[in-house]
Amino acid sequence: MQTVKKDSLLKKYHLKDHLPKHVAIIMDGNGRWAQKRHLPRIAGHRAGALSIREIVRLAGELGIEALTLYAFSTENWKRPRQEVKLLMQLLKQYLRSEVKELLQNNVRLQTIGNRKDLPKEIQKELEASIRATAHCTGLTLVLALSYSGRADLTNAVKRIAEQVKAKKLDPKKITEETITKALSTGELPEVDYLIRTSGEMRLSNFLLWELAYSEIHITKTLWPDFRTQHFIEALRDFEGRQRRFGGVTNIIGSFTQWAR
Ligand code: IPE
Ligand code: IPE
Ligand code: MG
């Protein structure tokens, strides 16, 4: 059933089935979207929640394994109190209204970031949604909440140091894999694609270790406007990339050009 749907979508959107396994998105531009319409910023966040619904469903239908969404950074706590409060309310509403949809689409919910920073009622709501979707075997949807890439790396270092202290780990045996596994994303597939909306050219403290070799797609489209067609365009862009990882694959054409 799932693959019939996937095949028809690939055909419909002219995709080659060389899709990324783990897409991370910096969902940016909600405020500007609202400002352009002379609306309060929260209206942009509300419209952004509809984009989340659409992209999550599509990612699941296309068989993408993991989708990590930057929903709230540790730095976002610096925003005006009222905006933070409304964002938390929106998150609560999203969790309440979306669990059914997640279950229907076989989506498993997880979070990264410091969940303990969030209001208690949101923590409870999150725990309930995570529990309710734990058995789902389709897309893993990871919400980055009160997330900071540097804080995550710092926590990983602390965890590793504890193991060394307890003599469970020999420092000489620490590898890149040790660090990857100690991060909050340790159990997820490698992030192979980063999308940022609204045209900003920065990482804003997102997945600093994990993005080492990800392909990057930056679009001027603001997050509330980012819907099916934009996601498909981004995926097509990914399928056209040559991933070399520092090597020299696919150079036949260009090499003969240089040799001339
Ligand atoms: C992204 O949109 C959503 C969050 C960071 C919570 P912004 O709120 O950053 O929108 P802009 O960048 O001000 O337009
Ligand atoms: C990054 O967007 C964080 C999220 C999308 C949640 P911001 O709008 O907060 O980042 P800056 O301020 O442009 O770096
Ligand atoms: Mg922003």
Side-chain angles (χ1 to χ4, degrees):
M1 184 65 191
Q2 195 79 13
T3 49
V4 173
K5 176 90 194 176
K6 179 181 164 176
D7 289 345
S8 76
L9 284 173
L10 291 176
K11 218 166 147 190
K12 177 174 173 194
Y13 294 121
H14 307 287
L15 289 164
K16 290 181 291 198
D17 204 12
H18 294 146
L19 297 170
K21 282 196 162 68
H22 185 170
V23 180
I25 307 184
I26 303 177
M27 310 181 290
D28 201 11
N30 294 354
R32 277 162 283 170
W33 184 93
Q35 205 174 16
K36 273 190 1 194
R37 289 162 178 77
H38 309 285
L39 294 168
R41 290 177 60 84
I42 192 66
H45 298 313
R46 218 172 274 129
L50 299 177
S51 296
I52 296 182
R53 177 183 290 173
E54 199 163 310
I55 301 308
V56 168
R57 179 187 287 184
L58 187 56
E61 287 172 345
L62 286 168
I64 290 171
E65 287 179 35
L67 176 68
T68 298
L69 301 178
Y70 206 4
F72 196 86
S73 72
T74 47
E75 289 77 19
N76 290 149
W77 291 112
K78 290 188 293 204
R79 293 192 177 196
R81 251 178 67 188
Q82 186 62 7
E83 182 173 347
V84 172
K85 196 175 146 201
L86 291 172
L87 269 168
M88 292 299 146
Q89 269 177 19
L90 195 61
L91 176 59
K92 197 167 101 184
Q93 277 167 19
Y94 173 82
L95 292 167
R96 288 228 170 123
S97 64
E98 238 40 32
V99 178
K100 221 167 111 190
E101 164 98 4
L102 296 179
L103 286 168
Q104 261 167 18
N105 294 307
N106 198 19
V107 177
R108 183 170 66 122
L109 180 71
Q110 290 192 348
T111 66
I112 54 172
N114 210 349
R115 236 198 276 169
K116 295 214 156 52
D117 292 345
L118 301 168
K120 276 268 169 333
E121 47 174 355
I122 306 263
Q123 291 185 39
K124 278 198 194 135
E125 207 68 55
L126 276 169
E127 280 156 23
S129 310
I130 290 169
R131 225 178 301 122
T133 61
H135 65 281
C136 293
T137 54
L139 175 78
T140 299
L141 169 64
V142 184
L143 294 182
L145 293 167
S146 195
Y147 176 86
S148 143
R150 285 188 172 177
D152 206 37
L153 270 164
T154 308
N155 287 334
V157 170
K158 281 186 194 154
R159 243 172 263 142
I160 293 168
E162 289 295 342
Q163 282 178 281
V164 170
K165 193 173 154 203
K167 302 220 181 308
K168 283 185 187 145
L169 180 65
D170 176 356
K172 288 198 202 76
K173 297 228 165 91
I174 295 174
T175 61
E176 291 186 5
E177 181 76 4
T178 318
I179 297 166
T180 300
K181 291 285 172 205
L183 292 168
S184 59
T185 51
E187 299 305 316
L188 298 165
E190 179 105 14
V191 180
D192 41 8
Y193 205 26
L194 171 73
I195 298 172
R196 182 165 189 154
T197 58
S198 89
E200 304 293 354
M201 304 275 190
R202 54 179 169 265
L203 293 181
S204 302
N205 207 358
F206 193 39
L207 304 174
L208 298 179
W209 174 275
E210 295 89 332
L211 294 175
Y213 251 111
S214 313
E215 295 296 321
I216 301 176
H217 176 94
I218 294 180
T219 169
K220 286 218 160 72
T221 306
L222 304 174
W223 176 251
D225 290 327
F226 191 90
R227 299 293 168 99
T228 297
Q229 208 49 47
H230 304 89
F231 192 48
I232 296 295
E233 270 163 36
L235 294 174
R236 260 195 232 123
D237 180 16
F238 179 87
E239 288 193 326
R241 303 281 179 97
Q242 290 177 9
R243 304 196 75 201
R244 285 190 288 274
F245 301 101
V248 286
T249 49
N250 296 320
I251 59 152
I252 298 152
S254 44
F255 184 75
T256 44
Q257 244 170 14
W258 295 337
R260 244 180 250 143

